[in-house]
């Protein structure tokens, strides 16, 4: 996003490091943030182009490091909004005050490519092929996550030409949840090769 060149010239390297060294063109201004404190305010920006439609004048924000603390504060009425993940979504899925939505982020399984044992494109593809992402999100995470089909998160962007979800337009670029001939044999063979190569012995009888 473009930034205000005058503000950058004025604050230099300190630009954006605190609420007083930042500029705003959004509905709210950030107030009371030093750069390291755990509480601040969002205050209505009178210079915002659509300020007359901004109905909430001030929002108080406090960072809680533990989800359990945030949940207790919410249930006791001390805060009005908080975010939860994982088990807290599962435990409160029937609560009418719980609302789930996609966040536009993706989680990956990383392999250490600095180690010869795991620096293998074939290994990564084989492991990817046998991970059932639908099973993972529906029966393990159970937090509203969706199976990842490509580098484009579902629900994050729409094609401006037709309004369709770009993730669905891109399609499934990963070997998951599809029929792959010999997938298990491929994985077994690759693991066999790797173990034999680096352990210098036959891994299977």
């Amino acid at each position: 996003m473009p930034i205000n060149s005058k503000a950058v010239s004025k604050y230099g390297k300190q630009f954006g490091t605190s609420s007083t060294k930042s500029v705003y063109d959004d509905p709210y201004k950030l107030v009371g943030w030093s750069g390291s404190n755990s509480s601040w305010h969002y205050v209505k920006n009178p210079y915002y182009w659509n300020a007359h439609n901004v109905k909430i004048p001030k929002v108080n924000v406090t960072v809680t490091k533990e989800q359990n603390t945030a949940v207790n504060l919410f249930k006791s009425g001390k805060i009005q909004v908080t975010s939860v993940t994982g088990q807290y979504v599962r435990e409160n899925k029937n609560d009418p005050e719980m609302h789930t939505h996609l966040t536009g982020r993706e989680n990956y399984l990383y392999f250490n490519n600095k180690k010869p044992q795991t620096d293998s494109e074939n290994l990564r593809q084989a492991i990817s092929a046998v991970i059932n992402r639908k099973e993972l999100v529906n029966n393990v995470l159970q937090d509203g996550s969706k199976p990842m089909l490509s580098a484009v998160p579902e629900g994050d962007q729409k094609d401006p030409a037709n309004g369709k979800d770009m993730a669905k337009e891109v399609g499934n670029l990963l070997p998951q949840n599809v029929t792959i001939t010999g997938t298990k044999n491929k994985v077994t063979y690759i693991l066999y090769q790797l173990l034999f190569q680096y352990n210098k012995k036959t891994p299977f009888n």
Side-chain angles (χ1 to χ4, degrees):
M1 298 292 290
I3 57 178
N4 188 296
S5 59
K6 292 182 180 180
V8 174
S9 298
K10 179 180 178 179
Y11 298 119
K13 293 182 178 180
Q14 295 299 310
F15 176 73
T17 58
S18 68
S19 58
T20 57
K21 293 182 173 62
S22 302
V23 292
Y24 311 93
D25 60 0
D26 296 316
Y28 292 92
K29 299 186 298 181
L30 182 61
V31 177
W33 180 62
S34 66
S36 59
N37 56 320
S38 59
S39 62
W40 57 84
H41 313 287
Y42 293 121
V43 177
K44 182 177 177 178
N45 183 0
Y47 302 106
Y48 179 58
W49 71 274
N50 199 24
H52 65 282
N53 282 324
V54 178
K55 306 302 181 182
I56 301 175
K58 183 179 180 181
V59 178
N60 299 320
V61 180
T62 300
V63 176
T64 53
K65 296 182 179 180
E66 299 292 335
Q67 282 197 81
N68 190 54
T69 301
V71 170
N72 290 335
L73 288 171
F74 179 83
K75 290 184 175 180
S76 64
K78 294 182 179 179
I79 59 176
Q80 285 69 53
V81 179
T82 190
S83 60
V84 293
T85 59
Q87 71 181 68
Y88 294 97
V89 177
R90 296 192 296 270
E91 292 172 357
N92 297 278
K93 64 180 180 180
N94 296 321
D95 190 328
E97 293 187 311
M98 168 73 73
H99 301 275
T100 60
H101 63 90
L102 298 175
T103 60
R105 59 172 289 182
E106 297 178 331
N107 292 319
Y108 301 85
L109 178 63
Y110 287 94
F111 290 82
N112 188 347
N113 60 9
K114 294 183 179 181
K115 298 289 185 179
Q117 294 88 342
T118 49
D119 184 22
S120 167
E121 182 178 352
N122 286 334
L123 175 63
R124 294 194 296 272
Q125 290 180 346
I127 297 300
S128 178
V130 297
I131 294 177
N132 189 323
R133 289 161 175 78
K134 289 182 179 179
E135 185 79 13
L136 177 63
V137 300
N138 293 333
N139 299 324
V140 179
L141 298 177
Q142 300 181 45
D143 61 359
S145 297
K146 298 291 184 180
M148 188 175 72
L149 303 179
S150 68
V152 182
E154 183 178 338
D156 186 56
Q157 303 175 51
K158 291 184 178 180
D159 187 332
N162 54 33
K164 294 182 179 180
D165 192 316
M166 293 192 69
K168 293 181 179 179
E169 286 196 327
V170 171
N172 185 0
L173 302 184
L174 300 176
Q176 71 190 59
N177 303 325
V178 295
T179 300
I180 304 176
T181 304
T183 295
K184 291 183 178 179
N185 290 336
K186 178 181 179 181
V187 175
T188 301
Y189 178 69
I190 291 172
L191 291 176
Y192 179 94
Q193 284 186 315
L194 290 170
L195 290 171
F196 181 79
Q197 180 178 356
Y198 297 110
N199 292 332
K200 304 301 180 183
K201 61 182 179 180
T202 302
F204 306 118
N205 293 325

